Amino acid sequence: MEPLGGVSPDGGRPAAVAPSAPWAIELRGISKAFGPVQANRDISIRIARGSIHGIVGENGAGKSTLMSILYGFYRADAGEILIGGRPVQIPDSQAAIRAGIGMVFQHFKLVPNFTVLENVILGAEDGALLRPSLTRARAVLADLAREYDLDVDPNAVVENLSVGHQQRVEILKALFRRADILILDEPTGVLTPDEADHLFRILRGLRDQGKTIVLITHKLREIMEITDHVSVMRRGQMVATVPTPETSPEQLAELMVGRKVLLHVDKGPAAPGRTVLQVENLALTDAQGVQRLRGINLHVRAGEILGIAGVAGNGQSELLDVLGGYARATGRVTVNGVEIDLTGRTGDGRSRRAQGIAHVPEDRQVRGLILDFAAWENVGFGYHHAPEYQKNALFMDNDALRADCAAKMARFDIRPPIPALAARNFSGGNQQKIIVAREIERNPDLLLVGQPTRGVDIGAIEFIHKQIIALRDAGKAILLVSVELDEILSLSDRIAVMFDGRIMGERLPSETNERDLGLLMAGMAG
Amino acid sequence: MDFATLIQILDSTLRLATPLLLACLAGLYSERAGVFDIGLEGKMLAAAFLSGAVAFVSGSVWLGVLAGIGASLALSAVHGLASITFRGNQLISGVAINFLASGLTVLVGQNWFELGGRTPALTEGRFQPITLPLAETLAPVPVLGPIYSDLISGHSALVYLALALVPASWWLLNRTRFGLRLRAVGENPAAVDTAGVSVVGIRFAAVAICGVLCGLAGAYLATALSAGFVKEMTAGRGYIALAALIFAKWRPFAAMGACLLFGLLEAVANRFQNIDLGVVVLPVQFMQALPYILTVVILAGFVGKAIPPRAGGEPYVKER
């Protein structure tokens, strides 16, 4: 006997993409303003189904705004969105999910103490009770793992997973919701080269199954490696869309910035002199009893840049904290042959500065600046006791600070050049320039630099790199910590790789490559 | 100490732990959803007053309970509006609720009944003990008899309800969609938001449940544990419930354990006046202070490491 009715076993929504529609996403004339700022201006773009489409642009070019409009966080002031050839309204995330759009955010939206399964079903449960949803999700995840090389232990608690696996959970979340279009925002920022390769394999697999991938990134190398088409945004406008094979990183950089940009730093050979920084057996155990540094030995000589590579969270931050005077540790550290205090009363930032150590901290918004204070106030931090900033024994000379700030703004091309503007209101690149100006112009013997170009525009990156090289050529020692391998490779004279609180190995830039460093970063001794 | 005394102490432990347990579970729902609630005390107090007043006027204990729940829900709505909708500081909103309740109950009580802020003693309109089946028959059985007929049987309905709410809450939190979303909202609201579920909706639901349970706790104080409302009759129980919640690390069964411990301390203080340890005599004041001392110890973090829900205390603002 035939069952009554014609309910499909799928029982679900109709496929979001009609098979005949050529474009997975088509945007027509999208505009969005925030007050006086036009974040998106008349943007039109067509993204082919079953392709990987890259979107590049400087910070503030409007990429995130555009993607937020697609995912229902903002409503466009004007314009039309077509998904699979059909006009759609996307007032909220639920609507975006219904339209078949999945988003993998730069900062994962996972519940850290939930299992993978719980995270996957959250918001997409089948009914009021969890058990049926969990059972179904387990089966779906097993299928996806087979199909796309997306294996993750469904019972693992997310906070115990590596960043690469957490990202896979995000992708699984989207696929579980039957996304046909996957948007990834800066997906490789937190990954090792190996993990990034795995991600690209997954993305290619998804594309080959007919999914559409939108990749937002500032890494031009990745754009060249994996995308089929690339669109460039500048100041809220879409300035070009080209097939990837027909372009080059140089051309893309020029389109992004609007002028020619040097992607590779011009620097002469290093002329290392005497040893400035000597670190022996540096160890640190944090308040939770976790060993963050397990006996670090390294040295940096005058006129040399030592680059510390590694995936974030392997002790680089702690190393900078100890050297900068923010954290206590055991071991022996000398600067210019004088031992610095790692434990006692003179182990603070001010003493460090007095010993010729300057520090451009990793998190500029937390440690480098007070965001609500004016630029001129920020320019003096850490050096506010300097004689030239004092009017007399009681009062500071704020006019001198303002004048100094204005001069620094001119020399470092900080825009807008308004000393009274709060640090918060500068772009990431200009915030970083304020800090770099403050630290470099003190002419330190040793400069500690953490993530100097994180979230900084290409144009400003070029400038900051030049400043660091100039300081090296002036015979100063520089300890550079960065998670960007490109940056490490192009700036460093020597490279040390950190993993799990140890130095895994040292390399010369001329004798290594990303693959070799990637193995060290993953803890495999080379 | 003989067996009969032990049974009596445990019996009063259960009765004294009940308001704590109800308030503690109330806080559990709210805080697991990421809304810290220091206003448990005020909500209990308001509920105790209104339930006492309505039970006296109407002569019906259930009308009194409903009125208590209503009072507590109204204050919950204020807390929700301030801390969820308008993203205010949850601690300040809670403190304000405590002050509001403390003042309003006495003011309104004096205006209505002119008894210095109390409500008239309840003769009817009180919870009566429920005698479980066979309690009389089994009473003569040695050991088990008294345990069943005196300790387990003979409590008011709210005591049994509070105990039943413990496994029910565990099940709701861990086995249902609502529980999953509620816990997620307390840990990472952005995850819930991007999944297309309303963070505000879930948090309001949690705060409403908190209001209902606080209402029950307050009603229990005025209509079961005592016979009527007395000024400041919660006596810090809302804060003790918070301490128990932290002690229990925001888990229902552990919350029951913690509340029973506080109940036991209170019961012991009530039963014995001065405790002679041979070397020193512990004065009754010390025993009465014990629950509060333990509260301070727990809140100061001396009892293990309690990790609160990660998004607790933070209003959710969409990060775009």
Side-chain angles (χ1 to χ4, degrees):
Chain A
M1 196 171 133
E2 289 289 318
L4 296 172
V7 180
S8 76
D10 209 23
R13 63 186 167 76
V17 179
S20 59
W23 308 110
I25 306 172
E26 184 173 356
L27 303 179
R28 291 182 187 158
I30 297 282
S31 291
K32 174 76 187 172
F34 299 101
V37 182
Q38 191 75 33
N40 283 166
R41 191 191 306 269
D42 192 23
I43 288 186
S44 297
I45 182 177
R46 290 195 287 205
I47 295 174
R49 193 145 41 84
S51 73
I52 300 182
H53 195 115
I55 295 186
V56 292
E58 294 196 290
N59 295 304
K63 299 173 305 216
S64 303
T65 305
L66 190 62
M67 292 307 125
S68 296
I69 288 171
L70 255 182
Y71 201 65
F73 277 179
Y74 297 136
R75 300 195 86 157
D77 300 335
E80 243 191 317
I81 303 173
L82 288 84
I83 302 291
R86 271 197 294 263
V88 289
Q89 294 293 322
I90 306 183
D92 53 32
S93 306
Q94 192 83 57
I97 294 167
R98 270 199 308 274
I101 299 173
M103 184 105 173
V104 176
F105 293 89
Q106 189 174 5
H107 302 288
F108 304 146
K109 309 292 184 190
L110 298 171
V111 183
N113 55 354
F114 278 18
T115 64
V116 170
L117 273 184
E118 286 174 323
N119 267 294
V120 165
I121 64 167
L122 179 66
E125 306 91 341
D126 294 328
L129 296 185
L130 290 184
R131 199 175 301 243
S133 313
L134 290 169
T135 312
R136 185 171 76 89
R138 194 180 296 277
V140 173
L141 254 53
D143 285 346
L144 292 173
R146 257 199 315 279
E147 211 171 336
Y148 300 116
D149 204 5
L150 263 168
D151 49 324
V152 182
D153 174 9
N155 299 318
V157 175
V158 161
E159 62 193 338
N160 298 333
L161 294 176
S162 71
V163 180
H165 278 83
Q166 292 188 11
Q167 189 172 55
R168 278 179 226 170
V169 178
E170 285 283 19
I171 296 174
L172 286 169
K173 262 170 74 177
L175 295 178
F176 183 75
R177 289 159 172 74
R178 305 215 230 151
D180 294 306
I181 299 163
L182 202 58
I183 304 172
L184 297 103
D185 188 7
E186 299 286 357
T188 59
V190 287
L191 303 182
T192 63
D194 256 0
E195 286 175 324
D197 278 350
H198 191 135
L199 173 68
F200 290 167
R201 275 204 304 283
I202 292 168
L203 294 184
R204 287 196 190 99
L206 288 167
R207 174 189 59 191
D208 296 344
Q209 296 288 319
K211 309 273 185 198
T212 307
I213 315 271
V214 180
L215 187 69
I216 303 168
T217 181
H218 67 276
K219 296 185 183 172
L220 297 176
R221 197 172 42 78
E222 289 174 357
I223 289 284
M224 299 308 294
E225 184 180 336
I226 187 170
T227 63
D228 302 311
H229 295 84
V230 54
S231 297
V232 183
M233 290 187 72
R234 184 170 77 226
R235 289 188 196 149
Q237 283 174 303
M238 197 63 84
V239 291
T241 296
V242 289
T244 310
E246 294 172 18
T247 185
S248 66
E250 287 73 18
Q251 191 198 358
L252 290 176
E254 194 181 330
L255 283 167
M256 280 164 68
V257 184
R259 63 176 167 84
K260 280 223 179 295
V261 180
L262 273 181
L263 284 182
H264 278 275
V265 194
D266 273 331
K267 70 173 175 123
R274 71 203 152 76
T275 297
V276 173
L277 173 71
Q278 180 87 40
V279 175
E280 289 163 24
N281 267 325
L282 193 67
L284 182 155
T285 303
D286 70 11
Q288 277 80 47
V290 181
Q291 262 205 297
R292 295 295 182 181
L293 296 177
R294 304 168 188 261
I296 299 283
N297 292 292
L298 55 81
H299 70 278
V300 190
R301 290 187 288 175
E304 178 188 54
I305 300 176
L306 174 67
I308 307 270
V311 179
N314 277 292
Q316 305 98 309
S317 305
E318 286 78 5
L319 177 64
L320 283 181
D321 283 354
V322 169
L323 296 177
Y326 302 134
R328 305 283 169 263
T330 59
R332 192 180 133 85
V333 176
T334 58
V335 174
N336 290 328
V338 181
E339 184 162 355
I340 64 173
D341 187 358
L342 296 177
T343 51
R345 289 181 46 234
T346 56
D348 58 358
R350 179 168 173 178
S351 310
R352 293 284 198 275
R353 289 192 184 88
Q355 282 161 308
I357 305 174
H359 188 181
V360 177
E362 285 187 301
D363 191 337
R364 62 175 157 270
Q365 302 203 331
V366 174
R367 292 245 169 108
L369 297 168
I370 299 182
L371 290 177
D372 290 318
F373 280 27
W376 68 265
E377 290 171 300
N378 275 293
V379 148
F381 283 138
Y383 304 100
H384 45 273
H385 51 272
E388 65 267 32
Y389 295 149
Q390 316 304 319
K391 199 175 276 175
N392 51 45
L394 272 182
F395 292 100
M396 287 189 71
D397 190 350
N398 288 345
D399 291 335
L401 260 173
R402 284 194 194 91
D404 186 36
C405 182
K408 282 187 165 66
M409 284 177 149
R411 279 196 295 274
F412 280 77
D413 188 28
I414 297 169
R415 278 182 262 180
I418 306 171
L421 197 63
R424 183 182 298 286
N425 299 326
F426 289 87
S427 73
N430 284 301
Q431 287 178 353
Q432 188 71 321
K433 282 187 191 173
I434 293 176
I435 300 172
V436 169
R438 175 178 78 204
E439 302 298 335
I440 285 185
E441 295 218 328
R442 285 283 147 183
N443 203 18
D445 292 329
L446 170 65
L447 180 69
L448 311 170
V449 200
Q451 320 296 352
T453 55
R454 178 186 280 169
V456 170
D457 303 332
I458 287 195
I461 288 178
E462 187 188 7
F463 185 87
I464 290 169
H465 282 176
K466 277 184 186 160
Q467 294 296 324
I468 293 175
I469 302 274
L471 195 68
R472 179 203 75 164
D473 291 342
K476 309 299 182 182
I478 291 162
L479 182 73
L480 165 76
V481 170
S482 176
V483 293
E484 302 283 350
L485 272 187
D486 286 344
E487 179 163 84
I488 291 281
L489 280 165
S490 63
L491 281 184
S492 310
D493 299 311
R494 268 187 308 130
I495 299 170
V497 181
M498 274 186 87
F499 173 77
D500 196 25
R502 291 192 184 85
I503 302 277
M504 291 303 292
E506 269 195 32
R507 295 285 189 274
L508 292 175
S510 54
E511 295 168 5
T512 186
N513 54 40
E514 300 219 343
R515 188 114 331 275
D516 178 37
L517 292 177
L519 286 175
L520 290 173
M521 284 162 67
M524 282 167 259
Chain B
M1 184 163 53
D2 58 19
F3 184 65
T5 317
L6 181 68
I7 291 289
Q8 278 175 18
I9 289 179
L10 293 181
D11 180 59
S12 78
T13 296
L14 205 51
R15 281 185 291 114
L16 291 165
T18 296
L20 293 178
L21 181 54
L22 287 166
C24 190
L25 290 174
L28 191 144
Y29 280 100
S30 182
E31 302 208 346
R32 285 299 286 268
V35 182
F36 282 160
D37 194 351
I38 210 169
L40 297 177
E41 175 86 1
K43 281 186 275 200
M44 271 168 89
L45 193 64
F49 167 72
L50 209 63
S51 64
V54 169
F56 173 77
V57 173
S58 71
S60 158
V61 65
W62 290 109
L63 275 183
V65 170
L66 275 183
I69 290 175
S72 173
L73 265 178
L75 291 180
S76 271
V78 171
H79 187 52
L81 211 61
S83 61
I84 304 171
T85 309
F86 296 117
R87 302 184 190 131
N89 186 306
Q90 299 172 1
L91 293 183
I92 291 175
S93 161
V95 169
I97 283 169
N98 288 342
F99 278 122
L100 193 68
S102 160
L104 266 186
T105 48
V106 177
L107 181 79
V108 176
Q110 172 63 16
N111 188 284
W112 284 357
F113 301 106
E114 298 183 346
L115 290 171
R118 356 171 14 123
T119 61
L122 295 171
T123 44
E124 48 186 333
R126 268 197 81 187
F127 273 102
Q128 299 305 320
I130 296 174
T131 308
L132 295 180
L134 298 180
E136 300 292 327
T137 326
L138 291 176
V141 177
V143 184
L144 291 179
I147 288 182
Y148 181 69
S149 62
D150 294 341
L151 178 55
I152 299 178
S153 172
H155 292 288
S156 67
L158 288 185
V159 175
Y160 299 114
L161 177 65
L163 291 175
L165 278 171
V166 174
S169 297
W170 180 89
W171 182 82
L172 185 67
L173 284 173
N174 292 297
R175 289 285 181 268
T176 69
R177 173 176 61 193
F178 175 71
L180 183 79
R181 292 177 174 182
L182 185 143
R183 285 183 289 131
V185 157
E187 296 288 339
N188 185 0
V192 177
D193 189 28
T194 51
V197 179
S198 161
V199 173
V200 168
I202 303 250
R203 285 197 164 167
F204 262 108
V207 166
I209 294 175
C210 169
V212 171
L213 294 181
C214 266
L216 287 174
Y220 177 86
L221 286 179
T223 61
L225 201 59
S226 316
F229 173 83
V230 185
K231 178 179 163 185
E232 300 293 353
M233 78 182 304
T234 45
R237 282 189 177 86
Y239 301 111
I240 293 179
L242 274 183
L245 184 60
I246 294 169
F247 194 23
K249 301 187 172 141
W250 294 268
R251 294 168 304 179
F253 282 101
M256 180 172 73
C259 290
L260 286 173
L261 174 65
F262 279 109
L264 177 69
L265 291 177
E266 212 180 328
V268 169
N270 288 351
R271 180 69 177 74
F272 300 106
Q273 292 305 301
N274 298 329
I275 295 179
D276 193 346
L277 293 178
V279 197
V280 284
V281 177
L282 293 178
V284 64
Q285 288 85 354
F286 177 78
M287 293 309 295
Q288 285 170 346
L290 256 188
Y292 301 93
I293 293 172
L294 183 63
T295 304
V296 170
V297 170
I298 290 171
L299 290 183
F302 290 121
V303 188
K305 191 168 167 57
I307 301 166
R310 263 163 263 215
E314 292 165 16
Y316 177 61
V317 184
K318 267 188 188 188
E319 180 197 330
R320 319 236 182 196

